[in-house]
Amino acid sequence: MTEEAYNFAYLNEQTKRMIRRAILKGLATPGYQVPFASREMPMPYGWGTGGVQVSAATLTPEDTFKVIDQGADDTTNAVSIRKFVERTAGIATTTKTSDAKVIQTRHRIPEAPLTEDQILIYQVPIPEPLRFLEPRETETRKMHSREDYGLMHVKLYEDIAQHGHIATPYAYPVRVEGRYLMDPSPIPKFDTPKMEMAAIQLFGAGREQRIYALPPYTKVTPLDFEDPFDPSKAPHPCGLCGAEDAYLDEVITDDTGRRMFVCSDTDYCETRREAGHRGKDAA
Amino acid sequence: MQTPSLQGGFAEPAREAAMVFRDIMTAMARPGQIETVAPGLGIAPLSDAAAAVVLTLCDADTKLYLTPRHDTEALRRWIAFHTGVPLTGPQEADFALGAWDDLTPLNRFRPGTADYPDQSATLIVECEALDPQGAMLSGPGIQSTTELSLPEVKAFRRNAQQFPLGLDFIFTAGVQLAAPPRSTKVT
């Protein structure tokens, strides 16, 4: 049950209408960042204020909600946002990817493929992919309107010239339907190819006051040269469940520098272990 | 005493608006898909679906254009009571409401600017019926192709050519709505 003092999902109705209009314009122009009047939320910037506002405007009383932070359901950020939504919207929550209708995520896409019924909402710190190359909003806005993305290609080329490969392991810039250059939020580039999916994807940046969106099956192309895009991951199976296909976190296990690699998607790992899969470090 | 302007509307605005918005969002994210809203929201000549869209998206921060046939005293009062949205002409409108023949020509409405393509009008088009057959749609939100009954093809083709500028549409008939945005290619 919602606590009496709160409107459904915390935000007032006028704010939700404003966010909803921005979401619709975002879906109409995939990859374009729609400005919106971001509200102060009862959590600091950088903790998902944008994602929470988009979630609050999107959730219905019948939804089941899941929150992940770097793939995990049980980290501080995920737990506090889940509790916030439970308290202010009074809706069901889950940690199972397949049971969730709306999933708010910080920096990962779940390993299990999402379905047509699901909505994935990203927390975005810096929505402008050109921001570190061009700090002026007036200029980046012109660059987007003119499709002037040469600067980003130069940046990727300089990576190759300096490191021998494109040293951008996360937040890898993508082109949406051949038009807008988009920041996929700081997901590892391992996740980038998953962005062409059946679910609706919404992106909220609270401090930067931007919302953008990808309708299902929208073409999302990682920026690259003739050398193919490489969705890299640690070359190990998961230590707990043995998965070969999942993105891994490196965990230091003692003072002598011993380490193990485990799935970053905790629900995926647990589901596999329940099904009897075992990795080499499983107890 | 008759007070038609108080009829309809949301009994529980927060919950009902959330449900309707999910329908509109799904329709716009999956162009051609027909969604159904709860009945009993509007008054004549407004369909329940068009009423639901106005109640969910319009407020004092937006401007609405009513085409002449929809610009009745009763509807003005109803819209003012439930939403408070100021009425305006087509050039300044964020939302426009009417039948297709009354909304054309479309070049009266704002398609957004190159810097801010989101500053464009959304047209709420009242129809007799919506059918999943007719014009062929493709583009973002559609896996391969899908069909939707559209009043014509040429206007939508011209609208899609302006991308990223352009108008977005919400077609309404009874309790049903479908919402092909500017990104949808129509053939």
Side-chain angles (χ1 to χ4, degrees):
Chain A
M1 199 46 218
T2 315
E3 288 197 23
E4 287 282 320
Y6 291 111
N7 189 32
F8 174 71
Y10 187 76
L11 295 173
N12 64 59
E13 289 307 295
Q14 190 180 13
T15 299
K16 280 194 253 175
R17 278 191 295 268
M18 173 270 295
I19 294 171
R20 285 167 179 163
R21 290 191 294 263
I23 292 173
L24 293 182
K25 287 300 171 192
L27 285 166
T29 52
Y32 166 75
Q33 304 159 50
V34 184
F36 82 110
S38 177
R39 300 294 192 246
E40 250 184 280
M41 297 300 283
M43 60 188 71
Y45 287 135
W47 283 66
T49 53
V52 166
Q53 289 179 76
V54 172
S55 291
T58 305
L59 284 169
T60 76
E62 293 167 9
D63 288 335
T64 304
F65 188 56
K66 169 183 162 91
V67 194
I68 51 172
D69 171 8
Q70 302 273 18
D73 293 277
D74 49 7
T75 51
T76 317
N77 195 201
V79 171
S80 51
I81 291 174
R82 192 162 60 236
K83 284 199 172 144
F84 173 76
V85 169
E86 277 171 4
R87 186 167 166 192
T88 59
I91 63 166
T93 55
T94 182
T95 59
K96 283 257 166 256
T97 301
S98 53
D99 292 347
K101 175 87 187 174
V102 179
I103 302 171
Q104 181 172 329
T105 175
R106 175 175 172 271
H107 309 358
R108 270 316 307 277
I109 296 175
E111 303 287 357
L114 300 186
T115 64
E116 294 223 332
D117 297 330
Q118 293 179 306
I119 298 167
L120 185 60
I121 296 172
Y122 295 77
Q123 302 172 198
V124 183
I126 308 285
E128 177 50 71
L130 299 164
R131 184 61 68 232
F132 292 107
L133 305 172
E134 171 51 70
R136 288 167 297 180
E137 168 69 16
T138 47
E139 294 305 308
T140 52
R141 192 160 284 283
K142 276 184 214 152
M143 290 159 81
H144 281 294
S145 76
R146 295 168 188 168
E147 274 185 79
D148 179 5
Y149 298 138
L151 204 55
M152 186 57 91
H153 274 109
V154 172
K155 191 244 174 203
L156 296 180
Y157 171 73
E158 283 181 348
D159 266 10
I160 296 176
Q162 283 183 16
H163 308 289
H165 62 278
I166 296 177
T168 303
Y170 65 93
Y172 193 96
V174 294
R175 247 349 237 288
V176 179
E177 288 280 332
R179 180 58 182 83
Y180 282 105
L181 184 71
M182 190 187 93
D183 182 325
S185 87
I187 58 170
K189 70 176 175 177
F190 174 80
D191 281 344
T192 309
K194 294 188 209 161
M195 294 189 99
E196 284 188 19
M197 62 163 75
I200 298 171
Q201 296 171 84
L202 305 175
F203 300 78
R207 180 187 47 216
E208 304 291 322
Q209 313 203 327
R210 294 291 183 275
I211 285 171
Y212 49 107
L214 293 175
Y217 311 114
T218 301
K219 279 203 231 32
V220 177
T221 322
L223 224 57
D224 61 4
F225 303 100
E226 284 181 11
D227 349 347
F229 174 74
D230 169 30
S232 61
K233 71 184 255 308
H236 301 272
C238 171
L240 296 178
C241 77
E244 304 266 2
D245 58 349
Y247 189 72
L248 303 173
D249 285 338
E250 182 181 359
V251 181
I252 306 295
T253 51
D254 61 20
D255 289 345
T256 65
R258 267 192 295 205
R259 59 189 188 160
M260 64 190 286
F261 290 90
V262 295
C263 287
S264 121
D265 185 332
T266 52
D267 173 54
Y268 185 74
C269 196
E270 276 163 27
T271 307
R272 278 180 53 85
R273 274 181 281 153
E274 278 163 21
H277 297 281
R278 285 283 175 277
K280 68 177 176 60
D281 302 319
Chain B
M1 199 173 96
Q2 278 205 323
T3 48
S5 61
L6 305 185
Q7 285 172 17
F10 291 139
E12 256 194 290
R15 283 156 195 278
E16 289 178 62
M19 301 298 284
V20 173
F21 174 68
R22 174 63 58 80
D23 293 329
I24 301 172
M25 183 176 90
T26 307
M28 187 137 321
R30 303 179 187 282
Q33 188 162 312
I34 297 171
E35 296 289 318
T36 306
V37 303
L41 295 172
I43 61 158
L46 218 51
S47 69
D48 286 330
V53 174
V54 170
L55 291 166
T56 304
L57 298 178
C58 295
D59 60 21
D61 295 337
T62 60
K63 289 186 178 133
L64 174 68
Y65 168 66
L66 291 176
T67 57
R69 267 199 291 166
H70 277 78
D71 195 1
T72 64
E73 185 59 28
L75 196 51
R76 278 178 173 245
R77 280 170 183 270
W78 185 88
I79 287 171
F81 175 74
H82 285 284
T83 71
V85 57
L87 299 180
T88 181
Q91 286 83 9
E92 289 87 47
D94 299 303
F95 293 92
L97 174 62
W100 179 254
D101 292 337
D102 301 329
L103 287 166
T104 50
L106 298 185
N107 59 14
R108 299 181 293 162
F109 300 100
R110 290 184 302 151
T113 64
D115 284 357
Y116 292 93
D118 56 300
Q119 306 274 310
S120 63
T122 303
L123 271 47
I124 306 164
V125 189
E126 290 271 46
C127 314
E128 291 292 313
L130 287 171
D131 286 310
Q133 50 199 350
M136 190 74 84
L137 313 184
S138 62
I142 304 167
Q143 195 164 16
S144 52
T145 58
T146 186
E147 286 188 41
L148 181 68
S149 53
L150 292 179
E152 63 170 290
V153 169
K154 224 169 96 185
F156 295 96
R157 201 178 289 166
R158 203 177 299 141
N159 187 52
Q161 277 167 354
Q162 300 185 67
F163 189 88
L165 308 192
L167 307 172
D168 305 313
F169 301 90
I170 303 175
F171 291 94
T172 53
V175 291
Q176 294 189 315
L177 62 89
R182 68 193 86 171
S183 60
T184 301
K185 292 164 200 75
V186 180
T187 48

